[in-house]
Amino acid sequence: MDVNEIWKQALPIIENNVSSISFDLYIQPLMPEAFEDGTFILTAMSTRDANYARNERHFPHIDYAIKAVAPLVEKVEIIDAVEKERRDARNNPTPEVPTPEPIIYNNNINPQQTFANFIVGKSNQEVAAMAEFVAKHPGKKINPLFIYGRSGLGKTHLLNAIANHILEENPASRLVLTTIEKFTDDYVNVIKQKGDFGAFREKYRNVDVLLIDDVQELASKQATQEEFFHTFNDLFEHQRQIVLTSDRHPNEIATLSERLQSRLKSGIFQDIRNPDIEMRTAILQKKAALEDKYLSNEVASYIAEYSNKINENIRDMEGHLIKIIVYAELNGHTIPTIEDCALALADNSGDEENARVGDTAARVIATVAAYFSVTPDEITGKRRTEKLADARMVTAYLLTERLKDVPLTEIGEILGGRTHASVIYSRDKIANLMDTDHKLKTAVEDILKQLDK
């Protein structure tokens, strides 16, 4: 029986005798190193981790399990990375393998995406402030920072802005900016090639700052979740800065393990919401300036209102702007006109999904408003009365029912900028009350009949 098999069989025995936190943090990350002269050797990632594994709460269980699986084991030792290096040097005084190339950090950053060119408005001023704090004080109070919101609102821009600021202040920072997809690819490649997990873990754990985009992609990757959990723990324990982005709150990421959800929730959550028309206008004019084009207030407002009407994200809106600029040039116009906008936007077949969501939401809001004798603007507004509170909660419930594929953050935006938590509260409260409140259940059923006509 080789060392890996011994350790594999010992782990379940240890897991039954220690707390889940101790097992996850200090036992499972240990790596079987060797079995020689009756001694079974395990390696920990750091001196601190080795000391935790050696203490009287953990080591007796490790020792017992290994000897139970492999009676020939006389002694169990746990060494740290420094001791492993010395041991390797003694055993291989003249290594023949070539020295591996150094890990290259900071090679995946967009230098154009900085805080200076990130447009700040009501919908993102809080998340922008938190991102700047993290960039100026990495690993301090806000760690991890979890930014969530629908695609195309600037989450990736903020990751790059944090990276650019940190590297400007300290060019020697070991910083990795990547996506869950790339993290998964690297992990799977090591498994396929039966390669060195040490190099993989060196890349992602021996860093000062880890910035990861599209965390929602973890949902379908159970093995990656396990490795990411340990990477997260290692960085967090050593006060290394972690920033994550997702198109939804962790509570909405299906099949995310409970312990990983718990870890992700240990920091600060901040949503990034749809921009209002004023902010859209500013973004368009800034984007046009970067393209060396002038955009009049009239044209910028026209595009912003069109984009806002179909609940469009910033990325799609900027795509429309580029298309309008091209149409203007084809028509011989140095400065885009309203006519150029109308022509460019007339054949946007890609807007069907946004239009579907917008139409469904508008119909739900209008139907609920009519039933409760209020206006649609009052439902999405800020005024608070008992009648409006009931109407808003019923609207939130129906929107989550009719738009099941739409993230709750986006439904919150449709309801006038309500938070993700507010939508969940309203949805769950109405669902629960309908079991006991006959009058409310009748009201919801009547509204559904109106919507289905």
Side-chain angles (χ1 to χ4, degrees):
M1 190 182 300
D2 67 16
V3 291
N4 291 309
E5 186 61 29
I6 293 171
W7 184 236
K8 181 179 177 181
Q9 292 187 27
L11 278 172
I13 301 172
I14 303 169
E15 187 174 13
N16 287 332
N17 291 293
V18 300
S19 71
S20 59
I21 293 176
S22 292
F23 183 78
D24 291 336
L25 290 180
Y26 309 120
I27 310 299
Q28 197 166 42
L30 295 172
M31 300 293 290
E33 181 67 27
F35 177 29
E36 53 191 32
D37 299 327
T39 301
F40 190 90
I41 301 171
L42 292 163
T43 302
M45 292 296 292
S46 68
T47 302
R48 180 176 177 276
D49 291 346
N51 288 337
Y52 272 113
R54 292 173 186 139
N55 72 27
E56 60 185 15
R57 285 188 301 156
H58 303 137
F59 186 78
H61 300 298
I62 298 171
D63 185 73
Y64 168 79
I66 291 172
K67 290 177 179 176
V69 171
L72 292 177
V73 174
E74 299 171 7
K75 181 182 179 184
V76 176
E77 278 188 16
I78 299 173
I79 63 175
D80 61 27
V82 174
E83 292 167 324
K84 179 181 183 302
E85 203 171 291
R86 290 173 183 158
R87 181 179 179 280
D88 291 344
R90 287 194 304 271
N91 294 341
N92 303 287
T94 55
E96 296 180 4
V97 291
T99 304
E101 293 186 12
I103 295 169
I104 300 174
Y105 299 101
N106 316 332
N107 61 343
N108 192 36
I109 298 163
N110 184 343
Q112 305 303 316
Q113 293 186 330
T114 64
F115 288 117
N117 57 29
F118 184 78
I119 302 296
V120 178
K122 291 179 182 178
S123 64
N124 63 12
Q125 58 188 6
E126 290 182 8
V127 69
M130 288 186 182
E132 284 205 55
F133 182 93
V134 162
K136 292 174 181 176
H137 310 284
K140 303 300 181 185
K141 292 183 180 178
I142 301 178
N143 192 30
L145 173 61
F146 192 107
I147 302 171
Y148 66 99
R150 64 183 293 205
S151 176
L153 295 182
K155 300 187 298 295
T156 303
H157 188 137
L158 285 175
L159 285 185
N160 279 281
I162 292 169
N164 281 309
H165 183 91
I166 289 174
L167 292 175
E168 184 179 349
E169 293 296 312
N170 183 7
S173 293
R174 296 168 301 175
L175 182 151
V176 168
L177 191 159
T178 190
T179 64
I180 281 296
E181 183 178 6
K182 181 64 170 64
F183 182 91
T184 301
D185 287 346
D186 288 349
Y187 180 62
V188 170
N189 284 337
V190 174
I191 295 173
K192 283 182 177 178
Q193 298 167 12
K194 297 181 180 178
D196 182 7
F197 275 97
F200 172 84
R201 287 165 181 158
E202 173 80 6
K203 175 179 179 179
Y204 287 105
R205 300 188 191 185
N206 190 29
V207 296
D208 302 306
V209 182
L210 179 64
L211 310 165
I212 296 198
D213 213 355
D214 297 327
V215 170
Q216 74 278 356
E217 297 296 332
L218 276 172
S220 58
K221 301 175 173 66
Q222 296 301 316
T224 306
Q225 284 189 35
E226 186 73 15
E227 182 62 32
F228 183 73
F229 174 81
H230 294 300
T231 298
F232 185 105
N233 276 342
D234 194 84
L235 294 174
F236 185 78
E237 289 292 322
H238 292 89
Q239 296 185 311
R240 309 292 172 80
Q241 182 65 55
I242 306 166
V243 184
L244 310 169
T245 73
S246 170
D247 68 2
R248 67 203 75 173
H249 192 280
N251 288 342
E252 293 182 67
I253 303 176
T255 69
L256 199 63
S257 72
E258 186 176 337
R259 64 178 184 169
L260 182 53
Q261 273 197 6
S262 177
R263 266 308 189 193
L264 294 179
K265 293 175 185 176
S266 63
I268 300 292
F269 288 86
Q270 185 61 55
D271 62 335
I272 183 167
R273 301 184 295 276
N274 277 0
D276 56 23
I277 291 176
E278 290 76 14
M279 185 175 167
R280 288 180 184 274
T281 302
I283 291 169
L284 287 164
Q285 292 185 311
K286 177 76 173 181
K287 179 70 174 177
L290 291 173
E291 298 291 331
D292 293 324
K293 294 292 180 182
Y294 171 75
L295 203 65
S296 69
N297 289 334
E298 182 185 25
V299 169
S301 295
Y302 181 96
I303 303 169
E305 288 175 5
Y306 169 86
S307 184
N308 190 64
K309 182 180 179 182
I310 62 173
N311 198 33
E312 194 171 51
N313 65 37
I314 295 169
R315 189 183 301 132
D316 290 339
M317 181 181 73
E318 291 180 339
H320 288 326
L321 173 62
I322 299 302
K323 187 176 181 182
I324 288 165
I325 290 172
V326 171
Y327 266 70
E329 291 174 349
L330 291 173
N331 292 324
H333 300 151
T334 305
I335 300 173
T337 65
I338 294 292
E339 290 72 23
D340 295 321
C341 294
L343 286 170
L345 299 175
D347 62 348
N348 280 322
S349 57
D351 293 338
E352 285 91 348
E353 177 59 18
N354 283 332
R356 177 189 73 82
V357 172
D359 289 346
T360 300
R363 190 149 191 267
V364 169
I365 292 170
T367 305
V368 175
Y371 189 91
F372 282 88
S373 300
V374 297
T375 68
D377 285 345
E378 285 179 315
I379 287 180
T380 58
K382 303 299 182 186
R383 195 160 68 91
R384 296 180 181 179
T385 66
E386 186 175 348
K387 181 194 281 189
L388 284 175
D390 291 342
R392 283 184 193 125
M393 285 194 290
V394 170
T395 304
Y397 170 79
L398 291 171
L399 286 174
T400 59
E401 287 294 305
R402 289 298 168 108
L403 298 171
K404 291 183 181 293
D405 56 334
V406 176
L408 298 186
T409 49
E410 189 171 334
I411 289 176
E413 287 297 326
I414 291 169
L415 284 167
R418 263 71 190 184
T419 64
H420 160 272
S422 174
V423 175
I424 291 177
Y425 173 81
S426 298
R427 178 197 65 190
D428 293 349
K429 183 169 184 180
I430 294 299
N432 291 331
L433 282 175
M434 284 173 63
D435 291 336
T436 56
D437 190 330
H438 180 72
K439 185 177 178 181
L440 174 64
K441 184 177 181 181
T442 300
V444 172
E445 288 174 348
D446 287 346
I447 294 168
L448 284 170
K449 288 176 184 176
Q450 291 294 319
L451 290 170
D452 290 334
K453 281 185 178 179

